[in-house]
């Protein structure tokens, strides 16, 4: 697969027009296949879709069988939906007798604003990541998996002059960036990946990107960007077998290097956003480990989303490479190699999460490292922007300024009272968000009362004075002990600072 020549994008616009006319879109697939078969495709399971298209004779069914299910299709059927001769000439299809075969996987992908895009990848590899692709080709290029959509969802989407997609793969991050960046650069150590990115952009009707071959930041030299995104080959493995997932550095060194070098390539105020793995090493706090990666001059928000012990982690990626389908002795040997690697590095488990950097000129950068394994509401780009805006506010306001500030309760925050049935007073009160990170936090009755009346009309100090009168507490004492709680509520997004009294 790694030596197969790839299609030319010369007639991509003509092909795109035909695909759209046939209804070969995310919505069109859902209508044709039904929800269960459509969902199964996202898990790389093709049998339900084969059943759903077997008796269909329309052009859309032909396209599904060709490009998603990798089934041969009669030339005459394909010609009803495609400019077949152009597709053959450019290499999207190959002909055998009266049938045509797809040479690449072309998968409809819905953009965030309803765009109809197409992701081009190697045959049988449309769903990327640890979904059991089972391909052992070193240079295989995957399509869109859970990691890809996660990164796309957390990325800050504001108009920028320049964006860098480092380790572009099939080009999904570059495609998203092209919607709000004047200039997009995409790099990859695998030259085939850059060709797939070119095809993805062309077939999706997106502007061309600058495509550069090389590892990490080496291809871009000293260039700086307003946005850097990367879903890197972050898997911690005993060797570099698969280019798309194994970075070739020991342990979590690739992720560390990527994060440490990113700061020098960010313009002032620019963002760098990555997915990554990091080791949990015996005798070391993982938070200290990843905090040490943050480069000088950068704010950071690092969120650990999942942790696996070393056996779970090894099994996950052994399945990804299809090793569980090999000779049992070979599988056992490879499993031992993974465990030997972890033992040598004193690694007891592996964390997965998101890393966001923002270039800042603040004297004391804000570095937040936290664990949040709970469900969130994607997309989170606006949530990321709001997080750093709140950090700026808290950094610029001491306790006295905080008490003179105005706040309002964030949208869709609810209060829950927890206690024994029939009890007069709750044991504690929980504030819960239904948007963004969907956080929940315990507060005391003063904190709950404070949050509940924050509507931007009174300063925090005046609200506390009123509460002190109600609960018969010394207002000076209450003012002294409450700013810490206010900071927490602001930092976690329960309270939003407003510029002045609301009327």
């Amino acid at each position: 697969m790694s030596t197969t020549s790839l299609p030319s994008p010369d007639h991509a616009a003509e092909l795109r027009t035909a695909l759209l006319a046939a209804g070969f879109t995310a919505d069109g697939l859902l209508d044709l296949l039904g929800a269960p078969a459509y969902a199964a495709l996202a898990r790389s399971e093709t049998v339900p879709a084969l059943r759903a298209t077997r008796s269909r004779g329309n052009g859309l069914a032909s396209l599904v069988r060709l490009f998603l299910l990798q089934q041969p299709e009669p030339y005459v059927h394909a010609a009803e939906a495609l400019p077949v001769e152009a597709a053959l000439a450019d290499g999207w299809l190959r002909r055998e007798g009266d049938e045509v075969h797809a040479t690449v996987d072309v998968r409809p992908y819905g953009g965030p604003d309803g765009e109809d895009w197409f992701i081009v990848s190697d045959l049988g590899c449309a769903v990327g990541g640890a979904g059991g692709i089972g391909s052992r080709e070193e240079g295989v290029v995957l399509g869109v998996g859970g990691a890809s959509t996660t990164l796309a969802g957390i990325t800050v989407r504001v108009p920028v002059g320049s964006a860098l997609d480092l380790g572009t793969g099939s080009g999904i991050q570059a495609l998203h960036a092209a919607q709000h960046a004047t200039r997009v650069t995409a790099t990859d150590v695998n030259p085939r990946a850059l060709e797939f990115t070119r095809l993805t952009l062309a077939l999706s009707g997106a502007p061309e990107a600058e495509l550069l071959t090389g590892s990490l930041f080496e291809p871009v030299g000293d260039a700086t960007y307003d946005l850097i995104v990367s879903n890197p080959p972050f898997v911690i493995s005993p060797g570099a077998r698969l280019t798309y997932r194994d970075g070739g550095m020991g342990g979590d060194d690739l992720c560390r290097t990527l994060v440490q070098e990113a700061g020098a390539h960010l313009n002032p105020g620019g963002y760098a956003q990555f997915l990554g793995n990091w080791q949990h090493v015996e005798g070391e706090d993982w938070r200290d480990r990843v905090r040490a990666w943050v480069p000088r001059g950068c704010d950071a928000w690092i969120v650990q989303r999942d942790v696996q012990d070393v056996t779970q982690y090894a099994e996950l990626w052994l399945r990804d490479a299809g090793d569980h389908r090999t000779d049992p002795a070979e599988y056992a040997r490879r499993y031992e190699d993974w465990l030997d690697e972890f033992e040598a590095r004193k690694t007891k488990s592996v964390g997965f999460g998101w890393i966001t950097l923002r270039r800042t000129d603040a004297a004391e950068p804000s570095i937040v490292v936290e664990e949040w394994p709970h469900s969130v509401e994607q997309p989170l780009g606006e949530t990321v922007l709001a997080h750093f805006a709140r950090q700026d506010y808290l950094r610029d306001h001491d306790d006295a300024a905080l008490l003179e500030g105005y706040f309002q309760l964030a949208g869709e925050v609810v209060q829950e009272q927890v206690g024994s049935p029939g009890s007069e007073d709750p044991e504690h009160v929980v504030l819960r968000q239904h948007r963004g990170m969907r956080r929940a936090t315990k507060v005391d009755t003063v904190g709950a009362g404070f949050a509940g009346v924050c509507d931007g009309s009174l300063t925090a100090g005046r609200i506390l004075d009123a509460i002190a009168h109600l609960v018969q507490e010394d207002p000076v004492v209450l003012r002294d002990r409450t700013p810490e709680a206010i900071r927490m509520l602001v930092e976690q997004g329960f309270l939003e600072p407003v510029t002045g009294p609301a009327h």
Side-chain angles (χ1 to χ4, degrees):
M1 186 180 294
S2 59
T3 59
T4 303
S5 59
L6 297 179
S8 162
D10 288 351
H11 296 90
E14 183 181 354
L15 185 59
R16 172 177 171 79
T17 298
L19 295 176
L20 294 177
F24 192 61
T25 64
D27 289 341
L29 290 186
L30 182 59
D31 290 340
L32 175 71
L33 302 178
Y38 183 80
L41 269 182
R43 303 189 299 269
S44 293
E45 295 289 350
T46 59
V47 172
L50 281 168
R51 289 172 60 89
T53 61
R54 190 172 292 150
S55 61
R56 305 291 181 91
N58 60 24
L60 178 55
S62 292
L63 295 176
V64 171
R65 287 191 290 267
L66 269 174
F67 289 116
L68 298 186
L69 307 179
Q70 284 86 59
Q71 298 295 305
E73 191 69 6
Y75 179 100
V76 293
H77 290 174
E80 295 175 4
L82 289 173
V84 172
E85 289 304 318
L88 287 167
D90 283 357
W92 296 91
L93 301 175
R94 60 180 176 83
R95 185 169 184 175
E96 292 184 5
D98 293 333
E99 294 181 329
V100 292
H101 300 249
T103 62
V104 290
D105 188 298
V106 177
R107 185 156 302 230
Y109 179 86
D113 295 315
E115 302 94 341
D116 290 315
W117 294 338
F118 299 96
I119 309 302
V120 187
S121 63
D122 271 314
L123 290 173
C125 298
V127 183
I133 291 301
S135 175
R136 308 179 78 185
E137 294 278 357
E138 179 183 347
V140 67
V141 177
L142 304 187
V144 178
S148 301
T149 55
T150 293
L151 179 59
I154 68 171
T155 299
V156 169
R157 303 294 177 195
V158 295
V160 295
S162 57
L164 170 65
D165 176 13
L166 193 153
T168 186
S170 56
I172 178 60
Q173 309 304 331
L175 179 56
H176 276 279
Q179 311 309 304
H180 62 102
T182 304
R183 175 174 58 88
V184 176
T185 300
T187 71
D188 206 288
V189 71
N190 181 2
R192 291 185 78 248
L194 297 175
E195 292 307 309
F196 274 111
T197 294
R198 190 190 310 276
L199 296 173
T200 290
L201 293 173
L203 199 58
S204 298
E208 293 184 8
E210 178 185 30
L211 304 175
L212 303 175
T213 306
S215 178
L216 296 175
F217 290 100
E218 180 270 328
V220 303
D222 296 329
T224 57
Y225 301 87
D226 301 312
L227 174 67
I228 300 171
V229 292
S230 183
N231 177 16
F234 54 69
V235 177
I236 300 172
S237 58
R241 292 173 59 200
L242 300 172
T243 303
Y244 73 86
R245 71 169 202 192
D246 302 323
M249 296 186 184
D252 52 18
D253 283 355
L254 182 134
C255 289
R256 174 184 58 79
T257 302
L258 176 62
V259 174
Q260 288 180 337
E261 293 183 356
H265 294 276
L266 281 176
N267 291 327
Y271 285 86
Q273 298 186 268
F274 315 112
L275 301 184
N277 275 162
W278 40 80
Q279 297 166 204
H280 286 218
V281 178
E282 293 179 15
E284 176 184 89
D285 189 324
W286 70 269
R287 294 172 180 82
D288 294 337
R289 184 181 191 86
V290 295
R291 186 179 285 110
W293 294 358
V294 178
R296 289 176 179 267
C298 285
D299 294 325
W301 185 21
I302 301 172
V303 182
Q304 179 167 275
R305 296 286 291 152
D306 189 29
V307 182
Q308 291 182 308
D309 68 48
V310 293
T311 59
Q312 292 173 314
Y313 189 82
E315 291 161 14
L316 174 71
W317 294 107
L318 286 166
R319 287 194 303 272
D320 170 74
D323 290 322
H324 60 305
R325 294 191 290 269
T326 64
D327 174 69
E330 181 181 354
Y331 174 81
R333 180 181 62 79
R334 291 194 183 279
Y335 201 149
E336 289 273 7
D337 289 343
W338 284 76
L339 296 184
D340 287 344
E341 173 79 5
F342 288 130
E343 185 175 341
R345 296 181 178 277
K346 297 183 178 179
T347 301
K348 56 184 180 180
S349 55
V350 178
F352 166 80
W354 319 325
I355 299 174
T356 299
L357 307 178
R358 183 185 62 168
R359 190 74 188 178
T360 181
D361 58 3
E364 296 184 10
S366 163
I367 300 177
V368 177
V369 183
E370 62 175 322
E371 186 167 16
W372 188 253
H374 311 293
S375 65
V376 299
E377 183 190 47
Q378 287 274 34
L380 282 168
E382 291 293 330
T383 299
V384 173
L385 285 172
H387 167 87
F388 286 99
R390 293 193 300 269
Q391 295 301 316
D392 288 342
Y393 178 89
L394 293 173
R395 184 162 46 200
D396 294 340
H397 289 73
D398 60 17
D399 287 357
L402 207 63
L403 293 174
E404 292 302 313
Y406 296 84
F407 302 93
Q408 64 183 13
L409 192 65
E412 298 197 35
V413 172
V414 298
Q415 176 179 306
E416 301 172 359
Q417 296 190 168
V418 181
S420 302
S423 60
E424 185 173 332
D425 296 314
E427 294 175 14
H428 57 264
V429 177
V430 173
L431 298 181
R432 187 179 304 276
Q433 302 168 351
H434 284 277
R435 304 296 299 273
M437 293 294 285
R438 293 176 173 165
R439 297 186 188 276
T441 189
K442 292 181 182 179
V443 292
D444 59 18
T445 53
V446 170
F450 178 85
V453 298
C454 277
D455 60 3
S457 63
L458 296 173
T459 65
R462 289 190 63 187
I463 292 174
L464 290 178
D465 290 344
I467 292 175
H469 178 72
L470 287 173
V471 300
Q472 297 182 328
E473 186 171 339
D474 185 339
V476 175
V477 173
L478 194 60
R479 278 174 170 257
D480 186 56
R481 69 177 176 85
T482 306
E484 182 179 354
I486 297 175
R487 285 186 180 278
M488 182 274 292
L489 292 173
V490 171
E491 181 174 31
Q492 295 192 2
F494 291 95
L495 293 180
E496 297 173 346
V498 294
T499 54
H503 299 289

